[in-house]
Amino acid sequence: MIEYQAAAKINLALRVTGRRDDGYHCLDTLVTFTEFGDVIRVEQANDISLKVEGPFVEELSNNRDNLVLKAARLLEQAARDRGINVPGASIYLNKQLPIASGIGGGSADAAAVLKALCDLWRINPVSVDLKEIALQLGADVPMCLYSKPLTATGIGEKIEPVALAELNIVLINSGVHISTPDIFNALARTGSPALPPVGFQYSNDELLDWLQNTENDLQAPAIGLAPEIQTVLNTLMETDMCQFARMSGSGATCFGLYSSFEQAKSAANDIGQRNPDWWCVASKTIST
Ligand code: C5P
């Protein structure tokens, strides 16, 4: 049995720098990942199957459209195209991350299953061009394959590692669903400049300064479509010792940063008690 963690993806900052002819948007984004995430397990079997458990299981379609199954079938096909015969796999997904919520849950699951199946089926990722398979599955899947602090440009596939320290983070999702294409379509402009460079091994204070001088271009259109995202951001900012709050990706999950993990846990508990319908988690980010 092989197990991989599918970490939540946090866009600490995101600028939309242009739009391609095919409608996809060009991004410049600083991304980190949390220790908290979904879990993928794979075992040898005669064909490919998926079992899902966890708090968000009901929202996830357990059929061919599921990104995990799509990822497994694409890898199986890529292997066969190269004359590598692979058996099946029984895949288990423990779904802890809210669905379609700007923290890359589905993309992280797809990336984790690609890595797990390469191990299980003894496939060299380079021999099947795993990064290309990841990009076919979605713009965020290549960065989830990497799963360490990075900057991404292009539509998200041009990845550069970044040296970032561990951050203490709270993730909040109020349950409001907004569609990613709708958010991109609601953008007033798509020509933001590139993000300022991220210094090597920034201290926490240096990173906070950098964050104050950047933005998530998708946050304003998302709040326009779902004003309660602003309520979530205000709630985070009002907690004791919150250093910074912003929406991740196309939302609606927002994150808050704290100087200690104890403070992050206490903020998540406090917000969760006052808003029992909200999803609230304290975690640490994965450092370089
Ligand atoms: O690639 P993914 O399936 O995650 O993207 C979902 C949708 O989000 C795309 O169909 C597109 O409308 C929009 N998108 C975009 N530019 C990106 C990423 C996503 O316009 N860089």
Side-chain angles (χ1 to χ4, degrees):
M1 195 267 292
I2 289 161
E3 179 174 306
Y4 270 87
Q5 189 80 6
K9 167 221 68 162
I10 313 298
N11 299 92
L12 292 171
L14 186 156
R15 286 186 179 168
V16 181
T17 53
R19 190 162 187 263
R20 298 196 319 197
D21 290 344
D22 65 1
Y24 266 85
H25 291 79
C26 303
L27 312 176
D28 191 353
T29 178
L30 175 65
V31 176
T32 191
F33 294 85
T34 64
E35 285 177 359
F36 187 87
D38 296 341
V39 176
I40 286 276
R41 288 188 203 119
V42 298
E43 269 176 334
Q44 201 101 306
N46 289 332
D47 46 28
I48 293 177
S49 64
L50 173 64
K51 181 178 176 205
V52 191
E53 284 178 347
F56 295 102
V57 62
E58 259 142 50
E59 292 178 52
L60 202 69
S61 62
N62 189 1
N63 59 31
R64 287 185 75 89
D65 294 338
N66 183 293
L67 210 55
V68 168
L69 283 176
K70 270 193 189 162
R73 295 199 191 285
L74 267 183
L75 180 63
E76 178 189 46
Q77 193 55 49
R80 288 195 176 148
D81 289 348
R82 287 159 180 84
I84 309 167
N85 209 11
V86 293
S90 94
I91 306 167
Y92 169 79
L93 165 62
N94 191 310
K95 190 78 211 149
Q96 294 292 326
L97 299 172
I99 314 296
S101 67
I103 51 175
S107 305
D109 298 342
V113 90
L114 289 178
K115 289 191 274 196
L117 289 179
C118 278
D119 287 1
L120 184 75
W121 291 340
R122 296 178 201 281
I123 294 174
N124 177 346
V126 178
S127 73
V128 286
D129 204 350
L130 202 66
K131 286 182 194 162
E132 186 50 43
I133 295 177
L135 185 56
Q136 278 181 51
L137 291 161
D140 284 349
V141 184
M143 63 180 89
C144 291
L145 264 188
Y146 186 68
S147 230
K148 289 203 176 118
L150 58 87
T151 57
T153 52
I155 62 165
E157 84 288 12
K158 291 184 187 144
I159 290 164
E160 290 292 334
V162 171
L164 274 193
E166 181 182 276
L167 303 170
N168 303 296
I169 195 164
V170 171
L171 303 177
I172 307 283
N173 188 288
S174 67
V176 61
H177 285 282
I178 37 178
S179 114
T180 303
D182 286 354
I183 303 287
F184 275 105
N185 288 336
L187 258 180
R189 64 188 178 93
T190 58
S192 289
L195 286 170
V198 183
F200 182 70
Q201 282 179 336
Y202 263 166
S203 68
N204 248 5
D205 284 349
E206 286 169 324
L207 179 67
L208 287 171
D209 267 359
W210 185 92
L211 287 171
Q212 303 290 358
N213 290 311
T214 59
E215 50 291 298
N216 176 353
D217 281 346
L218 301 179
Q219 186 173 300
I223 291 170
L225 292 173
E228 71 185 79
I229 293 171
Q230 187 64 59
T231 312
V232 171
L233 288 168
N234 294 345
T235 308
L236 276 164
M237 286 309 292
E238 283 158 14
T239 55
D240 271 353
M241 313 304 274
C242 181
Q243 298 175 306
F244 185 80
R246 178 170 280 163
M247 188 184 84
S248 176
S250 58
T253 306
C254 298
F255 64 90
L257 299 180
Y258 296 80
S259 59
S260 79
F261 186 57
E262 290 311 310
Q263 287 165 358
K265 268 199 306 198
S266 136
N269 281 341
D270 181 40
I271 295 175
Q273 267 169 16
R274 284 187 287 123
N275 303 278
D277 297 339
W278 291 6
W279 177 79
C280 310
V281 160
S283 186
K284 292 178 183 189
T285 64
I286 297 163
S287 59
T288 305

